Amino acid sequence: MCHRLRTFIEPAVLSAQFASTIYDTGLLMTLKERYNVTANYSLGNASHSGDEEEQKDISNFYMIYNILHASTSILTAFYLAILGDKGFRKLPVCCPLLGYVISRAMLLLVILLDWPVQVMFGAAALQGLSGGYASYWAGVMAIASDQSTVEQRSLQLVSVEVAYGVAGFIGSTTSGYIYNLDIHTEHQGAILSGLSMLFFLLSLTYTLFILNIHNPTIHSQTRDPQEEHKSINDSKEEESKHECGTLVNAPSNNSESSPKLADTYIGIFPTCYNKVNILLLVMAALMYRVANGRFVDILPTFMVKKPLNWNAKQVGYGNAAGFVIFFTSFAGTWFFSKCLRDVSMGIIGLVSFASGLLVMAFVQKTYMFFIARALNLFALMTMPTIRSMLSKQVDASSYGKIFVLLELSFTLASVITSPIFTKIYQATLDWFAGFCFILSSILSFLAIIPVGVVAYRTRQQQGYEPIPSS
């Protein structure tokens, strides 16, 4: 019997993420060049007014760009996910990659043909309609899960995250040098945009023609399918009973009433579904994601304004510092998980993120920027631990539902808060450009409260023990 060579999704992730990070630098520097010329021309070369006008133009561009990408990707991403679950596993990855190739080609045309940068709004909408990042990353996780056994799944998913961080770090540190390769030509940034399109095309080609999805779990099973199905259902039922027993206070002596509790459903969730804890955790996750998302939106504009006024190389180093946090947060999670609970790790991540943002608000020199980033070393521990706590509040059969609702709430929150923070940033440019970072820091500190309340409630619930019968 002929066996195909086993392949992995990591090469596609490496190529796509490298392409994405160099594109981010190319787009930012193109915006800075175009809007700087426009602002100085319209304001008679008044440097201070020109810088302020440039900041407003760039921040408005990113606001519209991000809203278009987020809002257009919602329906498409769900539809592609459904098709992926029906057997077309590569589709949720290949469609977004094709959209990325076309949109990166549009940036190349903007540079070569001197098209207006507003053309990139069409690129953002195209990315969203092709599935966007939501469909792409969900598809990558699904393929990585298919390629691993149950015992090795965590290791497989972590390897994909590490590949993402490595590619982002390499792309960020080299993007400035690539951008300057054609510094003496009329179309600076064309080489970088062309390389971005090429690496996305390589990722698409690999996924479409080379990657084969091999599920070792399926191939290693030798039992009868009906027997296997019955065994899986029995194990899920036992797991559901166990989870409901820890989440619901049941100081009753009736031993026959507890198993029935796991089989009772209200709507799509079982009765052990703790609505208060779910709402508190979603609230904490939303506050963190709003704070993090708006910080990421404003940071590129902040880096190219005075007093930093960074060039392409410095922007690349600044972005690379953000990808270092992937490694340090993973190391922190691996280390702290040996001695701390989820709630403690989540609070460490929130404090790390909030303190870094507080320092970032007062950055005046390059070294201060990297000090602020150093304080963010454990910032990415927050969401994995909140998701872990969230999964412990519902039955295992409800994981997919609750996580889909969580991601949808993130997207809607982004669409709502992006213009609000952008306008606040523009209104405070004159007297304190870091004011939005302070707002994000406050949101992150406030997110500690619902996480702590959930920890207290869970400890109280687990403290109830059935009274032994006489």
Side-chain angles (χ1 to χ4, degrees):
M1 181 178 179
C2 180
H3 294 279
R4 290 185 296 175
L5 179 66
R6 186 181 179 186
T7 55
F8 298 91
I9 191 63
E10 283 84 351
V13 173
L14 281 166
S15 181
Q17 184 55 24
F18 178 81
S20 180
T21 49
I22 64 175
Y23 166 81
D24 291 340
T25 301
L27 177 60
L28 176 60
M29 300 311 297
T30 300
L31 292 175
K32 182 182 179 182
E33 178 187 352
R34 296 289 182 89
Y35 285 132
N36 182 47
V37 172
T38 303
N40 288 334
Y41 176 79
S42 61
L43 295 171
N45 292 322
S47 59
H48 177 72
S49 299
D51 182 64
E52 181 180 343
E53 188 69 20
E54 174 192 318
Q55 286 288 297
K56 290 182 178 180
D57 288 337
I58 294 176
S59 57
N60 281 331
F61 176 91
Y62 275 113
M63 176 186 69
I64 299 172
Y65 186 90
N66 292 328
I67 289 176
L68 283 172
H69 180 262
S71 58
T72 55
S73 65
I74 296 175
L75 294 177
T76 310
F78 275 113
Y79 183 68
L80 288 173
I82 292 172
L83 291 177
D85 288 339
K86 289 184 177 180
F88 302 96
R89 185 61 79 192
K90 293 183 180 182
L91 198 60
V93 177
C94 291
C95 279
L97 286 176
L98 179 60
Y100 282 131
V101 171
I102 298 174
S103 63
R104 274 43 178 179
M106 292 175 70
L107 177 60
L108 181 61
L109 293 175
V110 166
I111 295 174
L112 292 177
L113 303 179
D114 291 325
W115 285 356
V117 291
Q118 285 76 14
V119 171
M120 297 308 297
F121 293 150
L126 178 62
Q127 291 176 36
L129 291 174
S130 66
Y133 179 81
S135 175
Y136 164 74
W137 195 245
V140 167
M141 291 291 101
I143 291 177
S145 299
D146 282 340
Q147 291 183 324
S148 61
T149 61
V150 175
E151 296 79 8
Q152 296 180 339
R153 186 153 299 158
S154 296
L155 183 61
Q156 176 70 23
L157 297 182
V158 167
S159 69
V160 176
E161 294 279 357
V162 171
Y164 181 93
V166 168
F169 180 82
I170 296 173
S172 296
T173 52
T174 58
S175 60
Y177 296 95
I178 298 173
Y179 182 78
N180 288 331
L181 287 177
D182 50 5
I183 190 173
H184 299 297
T185 67
E186 297 180 0
H187 307 290
Q188 186 177 7
I191 294 178
L192 186 143
S193 300
L195 280 177
S196 177
M197 183 181 67
L198 175 62
F199 274 93
F200 270 119
L201 186 60
L202 287 175
S203 180
L204 175 62
T205 303
Y206 176 87
T207 305
L208 197 59
F209 299 107
I210 300 177
L211 178 68
N212 59 75
I213 302 174
H214 168 77
N215 192 328
T217 304
I218 294 177
H219 291 286
S220 63
Q221 291 173 345
T222 56
R223 290 188 291 177
D224 182 76
Q226 294 183 354
E227 180 185 351
E228 181 68 19
H229 181 70
K230 181 178 183 299
S231 175
I232 292 175
N233 287 338
D234 291 342
S235 64
K236 286 185 177 180
E237 182 180 355
E238 291 301 321
E239 184 179 356
S240 175
K241 293 177 184 178
H242 174 72
E243 291 185 1
C244 291
T246 59
L247 291 174
V248 178
N249 300 335
S252 172
N253 294 336
N254 189 354
S255 60
E256 295 180 358
S257 61
S258 296
K260 294 180 181 179
L261 189 62
D263 299 326
T264 305
Y265 283 80
I266 299 177
I268 59 174
F269 296 110
T271 56
C272 63
Y273 172 59
N274 195 318
K275 295 181 180 179
V276 176
N277 285 358
I278 291 293
L279 290 175
L280 288 170
L281 288 172
V282 169
M283 185 187 305
L286 274 174
M287 286 192 286
Y288 169 77
R289 284 296 292 265
V290 167
N292 186 36
R294 305 298 70 79
F295 167 69
V296 171
D297 289 348
I298 295 172
L299 187 61
T301 314
F302 183 79
M303 289 190 294
V304 296
K305 76 174 291 295
K306 296 178 181 178
L308 291 180
N309 198 26
W310 281 358
N311 57 33
K313 291 181 181 179
Q314 292 170 317
V315 168
Y317 291 139
N319 290 335
F323 282 102
V324 171
I325 300 174
F326 277 87
F327 307 113
T328 54
S329 294
F330 168 73
T333 302
W334 177 80
F335 175 78
F336 289 125
S337 63
K338 299 178 181 296
C339 54
L340 297 176
R341 296 182 302 158
D342 285 345
V343 61
S344 300
M345 292 190 293
I347 291 175
I348 290 174
L350 287 169
V351 171
S352 173
F353 181 66
S355 59
L357 261 62
L358 195 59
V359 174
M360 186 69 73
F362 301 95
V363 164
Q364 296 291 321
K365 303 287 185 180
T366 296
Y367 75 90
M368 296 175 65
F369 177 92
F370 289 101
I371 289 175
R373 271 317 208 177
L375 293 174
N376 290 151
L377 288 181
F378 300 125
L380 296 182
M381 289 171 53
T382 303
M383 281 310 302
T385 52
I386 288 181
R387 284 193 175 98
S388 176
M389 295 175 66
L390 196 59
S391 68
K392 296 174 184 178
Q393 306 300 317
V394 298
D395 181 71
S397 61
S398 301
Y399 289 169
K401 301 182 187 73
I402 199 66
F403 287 144
V404 164
L405 292 175
L406 185 65
E407 292 298 327
L408 180 59
S409 67
F410 290 161
T411 303
L412 294 177
S414 174
V415 172
I416 295 171
T417 58
S418 181
I420 295 175
F421 271 73
T422 299
K423 295 304 179 184
I424 292 175
Y425 176 71
Q426 293 174 357
T428 56
L429 271 175
D430 288 337
W431 60 280
F432 189 23
F435 182 74
C436 279
F437 296 156
I438 292 183
L439 291 180
S440 294
S441 178
I442 292 173
L443 272 177
S444 300
F445 277 121
L446 289 176
I448 297 174
I449 297 175
V451 173
V453 172
V454 171
Y456 175 78
R457 285 173 53 82
T458 303
R459 186 165 59 249
Q460 291 294 104
Q461 291 167 354
Q462 292 176 345
Y464 286 104
E465 295 290 343
I467 301 174
S469 61
S470 59

